[in-house]
Structure formats: structure tokens, C-alpha cells
Amino acid sequence: MLLLLFGSFSLVYSSVAYYSLSRPPSQEFIAWGIFSPSGSLSNYFSGAGANVSVGQTLDWHFAITNQMGSIQYVKVIYRLANSTSPNPNATVPASIVPQLGNSSVFIPNGRMAFVNFTWSVTSKSSQGGMIFINMRINGQQVSPPVGAVGGQRFRFFFELWTFDIASSSFQYGYRGQSSRVGVPLQVWFNSA
Amino acid sequence: MRFRQRAPLGILLVLVFCLSVGNENALGQSNQIDDTQSRLVQAFVMVQQADLEGASPAQISLLANNLNLALGYEDNATLLFSKDINASNFYASKSASLSNATSAQALSLTSAARTQIFLNQVAAYSIAVAAGFGSALFVLELDRLDNLVRRMRLRRTRLD
């Protein structure tokens, strides 16, 4: 009788111990946004519409929050596109669109990291009605091969990639419950 | 005549030698940055392992700072690679040594976290088993306790 009661009580209390020692289930995700100097998700061009003139410097930054349950190695890839370029989506990056550069950061779980994105148009040239721009991004000079008609409707694509230990490489998006989740951002602008 | 014929050949040989030495040097630098990158990734893997094993967020945050510093050094090494090889080397070796130190710290954190988790589990299940035994004994001896309480009450009333 003692043994039976002992077994039953031990089972109940052990279940309580197991429950208290287990990690609570949580939805894993990475959230991010691109912020203007005022710290908002708008007013990227300081009231100048979406027009960017040659020599104008824009100080933006990304805020990336890691809720993946462990530290993550995150890479932000930036590309310059025009209105006809194929968009990145939740599953596929815009690999056809040329990459301008990237920034990487390690983010502990439950923390937010800030990544600077300071850029300017250093010069522009015209070719058959298309405007091509040279840019400086985070101190690096870049000459994207993408042009836009009349310099209108350029756009930045920002893609978030995370380091995948299994493949030992950066993979697009972050690891979701059943598949990877891409969360691209884009900002339109005109070269005035 | 012979000298005139051999002079271009000699210049060509010297050029080829110079180029090959330059390439070897460049290849060596490139390998050094590759090595730095792989050490950084290795350090990240170790830190993530420590994190998943249950190391404290404060400790992981410190290691993340080290990783970001090593990443900054690696970026400098890559940027300076074509401009100043010595400076590039300097930053690459700083990044590699910081990554190595971070890996070692992460390894020791993983070990400490595993031990702590094991001790926590032993303590929790020991308490559960002890509480199980205590509860079983309590249920079985409830009658005796009840009798004991009754006797004490009776004694008190007699004394009054």
C-alpha cells in the first residue's frame, strides 16, 4: 500500500518538477524595421517628398529584434532596384537585383540591435532616358548597374538573412515553424 | 647579340617571379581572412550552443559583444585588404584571437550550464521523490495522527 501511494505521489510531483524545469513554448520570430533619423518609420527624406538630390546624406538605421530563443548571426543585404525589378517575398530573395552591400550583427535572444545605413547619391549620369546613380553607402562607394526612367521610382530592397549552422551559410529570412520566413523591406525614392 | 636575345627573356622571368610572389602574398592574405571568418563562425556556434544549454542572458550578452567586436575587426581587415596588407593582417589576427577567446569562454559556459541544469534536475526530482514518500506516509499514518490529536484534546479537557 505504501509503495503504491509512494509511486503515485512521486509521479505527480515529478510531473510538476518536469513542467517547472521545461522551457515554456514560444513563437520564434525576428522583427525589424528601417527608421529615419527622427526614429520613426516614416519621414525618411526629411520632408522633401521622396526626392534625393546629389550630395544629400541620409542617416537611416535598422532596428532588429531577435525572439528566436537563442543568439542569432544576422546579415542585412541591400539592393537597388527600379519599378520593374522583381520583388523579394516571404520565400524568395531578389537575387537577380544586384547587391549593393551588406551589414552583419550578432543579436542575443530577446535583444534589439541597431545597424546604421548612411547613404548619399554622389553623382548621376543619363543614358537613353535612364538615370544611373553612383552612391556612397556606409562609407563605401558603389555604382549600381540599375537605372530608372527620368531618375524616378528607384527603390531599395532590404533583405534579412540569418546564419544557418546546419548548412554553414547565410540563408534567406529566419527559421519558422515549418519553413524559412523572409521579411523583406523596401523604400522608394527619386533621384532629383 | 646573345645578351640582346636573352635580355627580354630575363625581364620576362623577373616579371613572372614578381607576379607569382605577389599572388602568393595575396592568396595568403585571402586565406587569413577566410580563416578569421571561419573562426568567427565557430565562435558563434559555440556561443549559440551555450545559449541553448541554458547559460544566463547576461553571460551570452557579454559574449555577443565580443563577437560583434571580432566582426568589426574582420570587416576592417576585409576593407583594408587591397589598401594596406599589414593593417589588414593586424585586424585579421585581432579578430581571430578574440574569436578563439570567445569560443573558449563559450565552451566553459556550456559546461557550467550543463552541470547547473543537471544539479537543478537532481534537486527537483529528489524533492519530488521525497515529497512523494512524505505524502504517502502522511496518508497512511493519518489515522494515528488523528488518534494522537484526539488524545491530546482529551488530556487538555481533563486538565481543565
Side-chain angles (χ1 to χ4, degrees):
Chain A
M1 186 63 178
L2 174 70
L3 210 63
L4 188 71
L5 280 170
F6 169 61
S8 307
F9 277 117
S10 295
L11 203 68
V12 171
Y13 294 141
S14 297
S15 303
V16 173
Y18 176 79
Y19 180 78
S20 63
L21 289 171
S22 302
R23 275 192 175 195
S26 59
Q27 175 91 43
E28 295 173 345
F29 66 92
I30 294 179
W32 73 314
I34 181 153
F35 290 81
S36 62
S38 59
S40 65
L41 290 164
S42 60
N43 199 22
Y44 293 108
F45 306 97
S46 308
N51 297 325
V52 179
S53 48
V54 173
Q56 182 186 354
T57 301
L58 294 133
D59 282 313
W60 297 351
H61 65 269
F62 303 101
I64 311 166
T65 303
N66 171 20
Q67 292 290 347
M68 292 294 289
S70 66
I71 185 170
Q72 296 295 311
Y73 186 9
V74 172
K75 180 189 274 189
V76 176
I77 290 181
Y78 19 95
R79 307 177 193 273
L80 184 72
N82 58 27
S83 56
T84 59
S85 306
N87 298 326
N89 58 37
T91 50
V92 185
S95 302
I96 303 167
V97 179
Q99 185 180 321
L100 300 179
N102 64 73
S103 301
S104 303
V105 65
F106 294 94
I107 315 172
N109 183 48
R111 300 287 286 271
M112 183 186 282
F114 296 99
V115 176
N116 288 333
F117 185 77
T118 302
W119 68 283
S120 62
V121 175
T122 52
S123 64
K124 57 182 184 178
S125 59
S126 178
Q127 207 176 334
M130 298 283 276
I131 300 291
F132 291 86
I133 54 176
N134 292 315
M135 312 169 84
R136 181 173 285 277
I137 299 175
N138 292 337
Q140 295 293 300
Q141 191 68 35
V142 285
S143 302
V146 173
V149 179
Q152 300 293 299
R153 296 174 72 77
F154 276 110
R155 51 184 172 156
F156 278 119
F157 288 152
F158 301 108
E159 295 169 358
L160 186 135
W161 294 56
T162 49
F163 191 84
D164 176 49
I165 290 175
S167 63
S168 196
S169 63
F170 280 96
Q171 299 290 318
Y172 180 60
Y174 61 85
R175 193 191 60 250
Q177 279 180 324
S178 55
S179 60
R180 296 196 72 83
V181 182
V183 276
L185 305 173
Q186 70 168 341
V187 179
W188 293 87
F189 70 94
N190 306 316
S191 176
Chain B
M1 187 66 183
R2 272 185 187 172
F3 176 76
R4 277 187 183 173
Q5 281 175 343
R6 287 181 184 176
L9 188 67
I11 291 167
L12 191 70
L13 279 172
V14 168
L15 273 174
V16 168
F17 175 74
C18 287
L19 281 173
S20 68
V21 167
N23 279 346
E24 263 176 26
N25 198 16
L27 199 67
Q29 296 303 311
S30 173
N31 284 344
Q32 188 161 1
I33 290 173
D34 286 349
D35 180 54
T36 303
Q37 283 167 348
S38 68
R39 279 169 201 261
L40 188 61
V41 165
Q42 183 63 29
F44 164 65
V45 172
M46 303 294 263
V47 174
Q48 194 178 55
Q49 182 70 30
D51 200 3
L52 291 169
E53 290 290 348
S56 78
Q59 288 167 322
I60 295 299
S61 188
L62 279 175
L63 295 186
N65 288 344
N66 285 354
L67 288 176
N68 279 320
L69 198 57
L71 183 65
Y73 289 146
E74 189 215 300
D75 284 345
N76 285 349
T78 310
L79 284 173
L80 291 166
F81 175 60
S82 55
K83 297 169 193 162
D84 185 345
I85 284 172
N86 288 333
S88 172
N89 259 345
F90 171 74
Y91 282 113
S93 70
K94 273 191 98 164
S95 175
S97 62
L98 189 55
S99 296
N100 286 347
T102 307
S103 288
Q105 286 174 2
L107 196 65
S108 103
L109 271 186
T110 304
S111 169
R114 275 183 189 153
T115 309
Q116 191 58 50
I117 282 175
F118 175 72
L119 291 176
N120 286 349
Q121 283 177 341
V122 167
Y125 289 115
S126 300
I127 290 169
V129 169
F133 185 73
S135 300
L137 213 59
F138 177 76
V139 168
L140 283 177
E141 300 298 322
L142 201 61
D143 287 347
R144 284 190 193 177
L145 279 172
D146 201 28
N147 286 340
L148 192 73
V149 171
R150 274 182 196 169
R151 266 186 231 158
M152 283 171 74
R153 277 182 187 164
L154 202 65
R155 197 176 289 171
R156 268 187 199 169
T157 46
R158 276 179 191 169
L159 283 171
D160 290 343

